[in-house]
Amino acid sequence: MEELAAKAGITVRTLRFYRERKLIHPPRREGRIAWYDETHLARLRTISALLERGHTLNGIAELAEAFDHGRNVGELLGVGAPTEETPVRLTPEALADYFGDQATPENFAASLELGYLGTDGSEIVHISRRLLDVTAALVREGIPLADVLAAGRRVREHTDALAELFTGLVISGGRTPDDLQRLRPLAKSVVEAELSMAMDRRLRQADQRS
């Protein structure tokens, strides 16, 4: 415990307090010896970084609980599942840098439920670099992260329906999943074109109202 506290730059008393609050996992014990490892040190450094950013210990405890009970990266990405998205590995500090004071336990839990985030050891994994960048950009524009995630949930419902429609269209003709994978760019083109035209209609309506 003394060695871990020294490496983390905190006092043993503080470390004991963190253990009592269950902010770190119990050590591995061999007889009367308690062994800590790099995951404990990483968690302590994360706690220090989040405290410096203004997070409270209660908030950090809720984040830690959500993090520890989040889906792992295998569940998030699916073993061997085809994807065109690039996952992003993040430390909790890096996630806080993206979203600042909006990196709350509630938003973290919502992201886990939506399937945007998973865990891999001491790291957080975002399922898509594109989604991460777009989400951060919207938040920088002043849109609350909770609202962005709520919109993402609605988009997910519509895109699932679109994917089912296109899959049925292709597979019903006796084609194989390989054909579906080969033809998926066509589905993306249709959705992108229709979304573009729908945005044009909304912009014209907005101009008329103004």
Side-chain angles (χ1 to χ4, degrees):
M1 183 177 285
E2 289 80 3
E3 293 174 2
L4 178 64
K7 286 189 175 183
I10 61 176
T11 65
V12 173
R13 182 179 180 182
T14 298
L15 178 54
R16 288 199 177 99
F17 176 71
Y18 289 166
R19 277 191 54 186
E20 291 170 0
R21 293 289 300 273
K22 297 182 179 179
L23 290 170
I24 64 172
H25 297 140
R28 176 174 60 86
R29 291 193 173 275
E30 292 182 3
R32 299 181 61 184
I33 301 176
W35 293 101
Y36 294 90
D37 56 29
E38 291 298 323
T39 61
H40 293 96
L41 182 58
R43 175 62 64 86
L44 291 173
R45 287 173 174 168
T46 295
I47 293 170
S48 297
L50 292 175
L51 287 172
E52 290 176 0
R53 288 168 168 81
H55 291 265
T56 66
L57 278 178
N58 285 337
I60 294 172
E62 292 175 358
L63 280 172
E65 182 178 3
F67 178 70
D68 291 338
H69 292 86
R71 292 189 297 170
N72 65 37
V73 67
E75 295 171 317
L76 182 70
L77 299 176
V79 178
T83 179
E84 296 178 351
E85 299 306 308
T86 303
V88 183
R89 292 179 177 272
L90 301 161
T91 63
E93 302 98 310
L95 187 65
D97 286 338
Y98 267 97
F99 299 111
D101 60 2
Q102 296 198 50
T104 63
E106 294 79 11
N107 286 334
F108 188 85
S111 298
L112 287 169
E113 181 185 356
L114 188 56
Y116 282 179
L117 296 180
T119 60
D120 187 14
S122 62
E123 290 183 310
I124 298 170
V125 180
H126 195 290
I127 196 170
S128 167
R129 164 66 71 182
R130 288 193 293 182
L131 280 175
L132 176 62
D133 290 343
V134 169
T135 302
L138 291 171
V139 171
R140 287 195 298 270
E141 290 292 332
I143 303 175
L145 179 56
D147 292 346
V148 175
L149 294 174
R153 186 172 289 105
R154 293 185 62 189
V155 170
R156 175 70 57 80
E157 294 172 358
H158 292 296
T159 52
D160 278 345
L162 289 169
E164 183 178 358
L165 175 65
F166 188 79
T167 299
L169 180 67
V170 172
I171 298 298
S172 64
R175 297 176 183 86
T176 67
D178 288 338
D179 294 319
L180 179 63
Q181 174 69 2
R182 178 174 56 85
L183 296 174
R184 67 187 285 177
L186 301 180
K188 292 170 57 180
S189 295
V190 170
V191 173
E192 184 176 351
E194 286 289 354
L195 178 59
S196 177
M197 291 186 290
M199 291 297 296
D200 289 341
R201 293 192 291 271
R202 295 299 182 274
L203 287 169
R204 285 196 296 269
Q205 293 171 3
D207 288 340
Q208 292 170 0
R209 286 195 295 267
S210 62

